[in-house]
Amino acid sequence: QVQLVESGGGLVQAGGSLRLSCAASGRTFSSYAMGWFRQAPGKEREFVATFTGGGGTTDYADSVKGRFTISGDNAKNTVYLQMNSLKYEDTAVYYCAASGSIWYSRRADRYDYWGQGTQVTVSS
């Protein structure tokens, strides 16, 4: 059974930084694509960032490109999302997701496993 546990969310002022972590158990994440999505109140879940199994190729939503960085630690089986220059509109619940394929995707329906989410609140 694959389990994903996010942590690192919180309250931060605009312009600040946070690093989210996603600890994976039940599989070695380096063989599968991993992604981050977010959902703000009243909005649909949206893609944030992803990388191929092993982290060789990354992809980012235009809204976070240049500010967010997705990375992974194979030894810890953990995926990170470093978020810099945070904006009020980044406020959302952030979800980690694991795909059944090595290839990344921006589509949420391509991911088989999801974490419980971690709240990120950016004050203006």
Side-chain angles (χ1 to χ4, degrees):
Q1 181 70 17
V2 176
Q3 287 190 321
L4 304 174
V5 179
E6 301 102 332
S7 61
L11 174 64
V12 63
Q13 288 187 333
S17 299
L18 282 175
R19 189 178 78 158
L20 306 183
S21 299
C22 172
S25 61
R27 70 152 56 158
T28 302
F29 84 86
S30 61
S31 298
Y32 301 89
M34 300 290 293
W36 286 96
F37 291 76
R38 67 187 182 187
Q39 187 166 19
K43 295 187 177 181
E44 293 186 352
R45 189 170 298 190
E46 66 173 359
F47 164 74
V48 175
T50 182
F51 61 15
T52 53
T57 305
T58 58
D59 187 28
Y60 297 91
D62 289 344
S63 59
V64 308
K65 198 173 295 182
R67 299 188 297 123
F68 291 10
T69 303
I70 187 171
S71 63
D73 185 329
N74 289 345
K76 296 182 178 180
N77 220 28
T78 298
V79 179
Y80 303 99
L81 184 68
Q82 178 66 45
M83 306 185 296
N84 298 328
S85 302
L86 282 162
K87 303 177 182 180
Y88 174 76
E89 50 266 38
D90 294 320
T91 296
V93 177
Y94 283 71
Y95 297 91
C96 174
S99 171
S101 167
I102 192 172
W103 303 111
Y104 67 73
S105 174
R106 293 187 172 200
R107 292 176 49 173
D109 62 359
R110 297 296 175 89
Y111 293 82
D112 300 317
Y113 303 98
W114 293 82
Q116 82 288 352
T118 185
Q119 176 71 46
V120 171
T121 303
V122 184
S123 61
S124 58

